[in-house]
Amino acid sequence: MKTKKIATVLLTYIVAIGLMAGCGASNTNQSASNNDSQSTSTNQSGNEKTLVVYYSASGNTKDVAEKIAKITEADLFEIEPVEPYTDDDLDWTDDDSRVSREHDDESLRDVELVSTTVDNWDSYDTVYIGYPKMEYSL
């Protein structure tokens, strides 16, 4: 349970951090193009290890996580539910869909994961966490 809470907290921060990293990488690359002798990658100039942890229901978050990992030269770790979500499960307009039931009943949100352990977790200096933003409107 503690690992899941840590993963949840980490996932909360990836969206904001990912956006900042994307903007920062863009600014760094612009600066580098103005000054060819300037290094553009923290990982090239130091020993910093970076990890991108993500959950993607439909593939959009996976695409963003892979881009962030490429820009930051990071490793990837995908959070995968043992029982994957289907399109029907993700249909929030259906009151009987999996996400609707999980939204309405907090006890259903404890989803079993394929893996909750990142190899060499202590070796990472920076961890980005990404997950899809789910919105409900009534």
Side-chain angles (χ1 to χ4, degrees), residues 1 4-5 85 102 105-113:
M1 185 71 171
K4 289 181 184 178
K5 286 183 181 181
Y85 287 83
E102 289 173 354
D105 184 351
E106 190 173 329
S107 70
L108 298 175
R109 298 178 195 169
D110 190 14
V111 177
E112 185 179 359
L113 302 176

Side-chain angles (χ1 to χ4, degrees), residues 29-49:
N29 289 338
Q30 288 174 355
S31 297
S33 66
N34 294 335
N35 183 358
D36 290 337
S37 65
Q38 184 177 357
S39 175
T40 61
S41 174
T42 303
N43 288 345
Q44 290 176 358
S45 62
N47 294 326
E48 181 177 313
K49 283 192 68 175

Side-chain angles (χ1 to χ4, degrees), residues 91-95 99-100 103-104 133-138:
D91 183 5
W92 61 270
T93 63
D94 177 1
D95 289 339
V99 293
S100 293
H103 177 266
D104 295 340
K133 180 179 179 187
M134 303 298 275
E135 291 188 31
Y136 297 92
S137 57
L138 303 172

Side-chain angles (χ1 to χ4, degrees), residues 4-132:
K4 289 181 184 178
K5 286 183 181 181
I6 291 171
T8 301
V9 170
L10 293 175
L11 288 176
T12 303
Y13 289 105
I14 188 90
V15 172
I17 293 171
L19 290 173
M20 290 186 298
C23 293
S26 175
N27 290 340
T28 301
N29 289 338
Q30 288 174 355
S31 297
S33 66
N34 294 335
N35 183 358
D36 290 337
S37 65
Q38 184 177 357
S39 175
T40 61
S41 174
T42 303
N43 288 345
Q44 290 176 358
S45 62
N47 294 326
E48 181 177 313
K49 283 192 68 175
T50 304
L51 175 68
V52 176
V53 177
Y54 71 94
Y55 169 71
S56 186
S58 64
N60 294 329
T61 305
K62 178 180 181 177
D63 291 344
V64 173
E66 288 174 345
K67 288 176 184 174
I68 292 170
K70 183 176 180 180
I71 290 168
T72 61
E73 298 178 13
D75 295 331
L76 282 167
F77 179 82
E78 181 178 7
I79 297 171
E80 299 175 86
V82 170
E83 182 183 335
Y85 287 83
T86 66
D87 288 341
D88 289 338
D89 290 337
L90 297 171
D91 183 5
W92 61 270
T93 63
D94 177 1
D95 289 339
D96 196 39
S97 72
R98 183 173 169 188
V99 293
S100 293
R101 290 191 315 269
E102 289 173 354
H103 177 266
D104 295 340
D105 184 351
E106 190 173 329
S107 70
L108 298 175
R109 298 178 195 169
D110 190 14
V111 177
E112 185 179 359
L113 302 176
V114 171
S115 176
T116 59
T117 305
V118 175
D119 292 337
N120 302 313
W121 172 259
D122 292 337
S123 70
Y124 291 102
D125 301 297
T126 303
V127 178
Y128 297 109
I129 302 171
Y131 62 96

